[in-house]
Amino acid sequence: MAFYPDQKPHLSPSAFANWNEARSQFVRSYFIGLKTPETAAMKAGKKIHALIEGGMLTVKHWYEHREGELKFPIPGREDVLALGFPDNYERHWSGAKEGEGEPYDTAYFVDYKSGKENTWDAAKLAGDLKMKMTAWLVWFKTGKPSKVIGYIEYIPTQWNALTREIEPTDGESVVSAECVYTGEEMEAFTAVVIKTVEEVNAAHIVWLSSTDEFVNQDDVAEYAQLAQEVAECETKMETLKERIGDQMNMGGKETLPTPFGSFYFTARKKYIYPEALEKQISDTSAAKKKFETENAPSEITKSLSFRAGKSVKHG
């Protein structure tokens, strides 16, 4: 039995990226059906999207089509649907005729990101498969324009100790990166989408014929329970760490020794390197170090770490 479309009728950017970059995660999520529990960050992301959609949070990119579903049969593989939910998108077309200037035919879309730190940049975006398939969805749905431009817009957030929720800060959103996709690139990408569908279907047939006869189901159940507990603990630990960090900041503490171990801030410095140095930076560690010694960083971000003591006991 084929996975697409017999088991699942559509291919999404998330599924596409998982299959090509984290195949074991794809098998876990889609073949087995084990979904990752919703984290505090995921809940905060939904809340921020709702604030933007409701006009209560100002952003720099705001297009005609917002939070809409894009769904259509994959060209050349019409039995399977492509499905995605870009945050915002639209197409601009000048309609200029000969002698009236350069025709302008471009689709735009934006993906809003949130979090304590802005980790997105142009280099990371260029190889992001989820972003690329979203661009392909927008390109196809808007009538195959000659170009698609995608933006990552970062919404800074913070932990509110009173409400115990992640919420936007007073800072403005930041356009972290943009990526340009040509119409030719998007046309060629269709074959990659079809290839992914065929690979998934072939793997699913093999997976169905595998056996769990020798796997102890009690072990499986215990492991699943522990994994769930670990996920819940990690989410709670992250919340507590943010609260402790806020409390240390309020008290002007950079380190905090406790009977259980030590909390301490680490700083990450970001530099804007000259173009000549940027091109050869991997081979010029000495030049890079010299530049960083002689120049102030463009950005410094702090994160809280914890080093446990030899013996940690708590109630």
Side-chain angles (χ1 to χ4, degrees), residues 90-95 102-108 135 138-140 142-149 179-188:
E90 70 182 28
R91 177 180 176 177
H92 294 177
W93 180 46
S94 68
E102 188 71 22
Y104 187 78
D105 186 15
T106 304
Y108 297 86
V138 170
W139 171 78
F140 193 91
T142 56
K144 300 185 177 181
S146 60
K147 186 166 57 176
V148 181
I149 299 179
C179 199
V180 180
Y181 307 90
T182 65
E184 292 79 7
E185 185 180 1
M186 294 288 90
E187 191 73 62

Side-chain angles (χ1 to χ4, degrees), residues 249-267:
N249 276 325
M250 290 175 65
K253 298 283 290 184
E254 289 296 315
T255 61
L256 178 67
T258 77
F260 314 105
S262 296
F263 290 91
Y264 57 95
F265 283 111
T266 56

